[in-house]
Amino acid sequence: MGRVRPFLIGERGTAMKKGNLIAVCSVLLLVVTGYSAGNANADDFPVYCSDVNLDTAIRNAINKPSGDLLYSDLQSLTSFKATSLGIEDIDCLQYCTNLELLCLTNNEISNLDPLSELANLTELRLHGNNVFDLAPLSGLNNLEILALTGNGITHLEPLSGLLKLTQLDLAGNQPNDLTPL
């Protein structure tokens, strides 16, 4: 069995090995700092929508039928409507932090977690979905209009801190206690 020789500077082939090491380190540095070729803004990155119906609706709204959906694309939305499209998962909406109006009526949405950081929302319309838990909305302090007709909502406690709320539509739900309002 041969003996393993230590890597010594100056040995034959060292320049190539050293060059490869520098290239690999350079690529890693670019990846870690967020740089990508052809992208001048290091804060911009591709966003993946797991729901194809939502992806299509967003692409229609921003007039971008193909190519990567970018963070900056989602940041450009201040108003978004996608009704009766069979949308189930709204994961990529978490990046739409400039949204003021969001209308997703008559879809199949149950998880509102992606909306929890949309602090600029003033109007949210979610009638005809499968919403039960309003906890993700508890920090949306700019909400003025909240339409939740025809969901499965029973607990209203998460809405108690929404002091700017002037319109609340809960028809077709079974709230067990209106005191939080």
Side-chain angles (χ1 to χ4, degrees), residues 47-49 54 58 69 74 89-96 114:
V47 174
Y48 172 74
C49 289
L54 179 58
I58 289 172
L69 201 55
L74 298 180
D89 192 337
I90 57 172
D91 59 344
C92 62
L93 290 183
Q94 67 185 314
Y95 301 107
C96 299

Side-chain angles (χ1 to χ4, degrees), residues 95-162:
Y95 301 107
C96 299
T97 55
N98 290 318
L99 275 176
E100 295 172 12
L101 180 144
L102 179 58
C103 179
L104 298 169
T105 60
N106 300 315
N107 284 291
E108 303 296 324
I109 299 162
S110 58
N111 181 3
L112 301 181
D113 287 342
L115 305 182
S116 66
E117 300 298 320
L118 303 186
N120 292 322
L121 274 180
T122 58
E123 184 173 344
L124 179 58
R125 297 188 177 276
L126 294 167
H127 2 294
N129 280 284
N130 299 317
V131 175
F132 293 91
D133 182 15
L134 298 178
L137 306 182
S138 65
L140 302 182
N141 297 321
N142 288 313
L143 267 183
E144 297 170 8
I145 300 169
L146 181 56
L148 298 164
T149 303
N151 283 281
I153 298 163
T154 57
H155 295 86
L156 301 177
E157 290 83 7
L159 305 181
S160 64
L162 303 182

Side-chain angles (χ1 to χ4, degrees), residues 4-26:
V4 176
R5 294 175 4 133
F7 182 79
L8 299 174
I9 296 176
E11 284 190 5
R12 188 177 133 126
T14 303
M16 183 62 168
K17 291 177 185 174
K18 206 180 204 182
N20 285 345
L21 179 62
I22 290 171
V24 168
C25 288
S26 297

